[in-house]
Amino acid sequence: MNRYPMFSPQLLVSFVAVAETSSFTRAADRVSLSQSTVSQQVRRLEELLGKALFERTSHEVRLTEEGIKLLGYARRIIALNEEAHDALTGPWRDGVLRLGMPEDFTVPTVDLLAAFKREHPHLRLDVTSGLSPDLHRAYLQEELDLVLVKQRRVHLPRAARPEPLLWLDSQEHPAIEQSPVPLAVFPVNGLYREELCQTLDGLGMRWRVSYSGAGLAAIAAASAAGLGVSLLPASCRLPGHRVLGAAEHLPPVDDFELALFYRDTASAVALDLAERLIAFCGLSR
């Protein structure tokens, strides 16, 4: 017998809908169920795991640390379920191509992916967005065919370009002047979090996590609003940001890159998409 409880795909679909909409009402509309049914399904999932997956207040619904951990797995289980169905009954005679990329690349690449799909109408394109470490782990486990990730220069990619980072704070409500210094960061094991915390530890600066979120845009907005110092790609700088550096004894962080990975056995369509991503992102081999 299986010693692990089985996840019901329907429970996971409702869970992902709530996570992505931050609302039980909007999630119910997305999955065409009543709000009470979605709430019951999420509650059943929490009872199955013995852990709370959301923090619920009168104003918002936010993922807990356990919910954040489950989200990536839930998306992959749903995708595999859909893939199995399509492989047996669907029109995708050219197969399925599984692409992973950071959340901040999903919108900018929409036109590129749309053009690619028009040229490959019988190919199913599954796109997974998430934290780069999770995407790279999924790639190593052969759950993704092609991944665009942000990483410290440790794994050798097919193509890459430097990803300069900036120490960002709020112009109007600077967090760096507080003690302990509040931080706006990704969840545990998220990109840039370890570098930020280790640097402050090395400088003997006391700090606390004031804001934690999985979305790059949300963290950038949080730091600009004064919720905490963050370490983010230069492209995330907002008008409300103040850039920190030598005056605050913070060193430059220049060993990160945007990297593309695919296998030697990649299909012709995977190589086609890889070439388009290399050109779009300005990567070098």
Side-chain angles (χ1 to χ4, degrees):
M1 293 181 61
N2 192 333
R3 60 194 180 96
Y4 296 107
M6 298 295 288
F7 288 112
S8 163
Q10 183 57 59
L11 300 186
L12 295 179
V13 167
S14 292
F15 163 71
V16 171
V18 175
E20 293 181 345
T21 62
S22 299
S23 165
F24 281 89
T25 302
R26 291 192 292 271
D29 290 339
R30 175 184 287 193
V31 299
S32 300
L33 295 172
S34 68
Q35 181 177 338
S36 61
T37 299
V38 171
S39 297
Q40 290 172 5
Q41 290 180 338
V42 170
R43 193 175 303 115
R44 285 169 57 194
L45 193 56
E46 290 177 323
E47 291 172 353
L48 178 69
L49 294 169
K51 299 179 184 296
L53 300 175
F54 294 101
E55 295 176 359
R56 302 165 175 85
T57 69
S58 58
H59 301 292
E60 63 179 348
V61 177
R62 293 193 303 173
L63 286 168
T64 61
E65 291 285 342
E66 288 77 13
I68 292 170
K69 292 177 184 177
L70 177 62
L71 183 57
Y73 292 108
R75 285 170 170 157
R76 296 206 294 273
I77 291 171
I78 294 168
L80 284 171
N81 186 74
E82 294 173 352
E83 180 181 334
H85 179 273
D86 289 343
L88 295 172
T89 64
W92 312 116
R93 62 170 181 257
D94 291 339
V96 178
L97 179 57
R98 302 166 299 175
L99 169 67
M101 62 173 62
E103 180 184 341
D104 54 310
F105 275 82
T106 54
V107 174
T109 57
V110 164
D111 289 342
L112 179 151
L113 297 180
F116 173 77
K117 271 294 289 146
R118 283 193 292 271
E119 295 184 23
H120 302 281
H122 300 294
L123 172 77
R124 171 172 158 172
L125 181 62
D126 281 351
V127 180
T128 300
S129 64
L131 298 176
S132 288
D134 294 338
L135 294 174
H136 192 263
R137 190 177 306 112
Y139 171 76
L140 293 178
Q141 294 171 351
E142 298 191 1
E143 295 169 359
L144 294 172
D145 304 307
L146 192 74
V147 289
L148 186 68
V149 296
K150 299 175 182 182
Q151 64 164 13
R152 190 183 287 276
R153 296 191 187 101
V154 288
H155 306 293
L156 188 60
R158 294 287 183 158
R161 67 166 167 79
E163 178 83 336
L165 303 183
L166 293 177
W167 297 93
L168 298 175
D169 197 0
S170 172
Q171 286 184 354
E172 188 172 352
H173 307 287
I176 193 66
E177 299 173 3
Q178 302 179 39
S179 182
V181 177
L183 306 180
V185 294
F186 283 107
V188 175
N189 298 324
L191 202 61
Y192 317 133
R193 176 170 174 153
E194 183 178 353
E195 289 72 22
L196 192 159
C197 297
Q198 286 184 351
T199 298
L200 297 187
D201 285 341
L203 294 172
M205 299 174 66
R206 296 173 56 241
W207 54 268
R208 61 183 174 86
V209 174
S210 173
Y211 179 93
S212 175
L216 193 64
I219 294 177
S223 64
L227 286 176
V229 172
S230 59
L231 179 65
L232 295 173
S235 58
C236 294
R237 182 182 178 182
L238 300 174
H241 273 135
R242 164 190 172 189
V243 178
L244 307 178
E248 293 79 20
H249 308 291
L250 295 171
V253 181
D254 54 8
D255 58 346
F256 278 81
E257 63 184 2
L258 179 65
L260 180 68
F261 291 87
Y262 55 87
R263 298 180 182 84
D264 291 337
T265 56
S267 64
V269 289
L271 294 176
D272 180 12
L273 181 55
E275 290 299 326
R276 298 178 192 223
L277 288 171
I278 289 171
F280 179 81
C281 298
L283 308 182
S284 300
R285 286 185 171 86

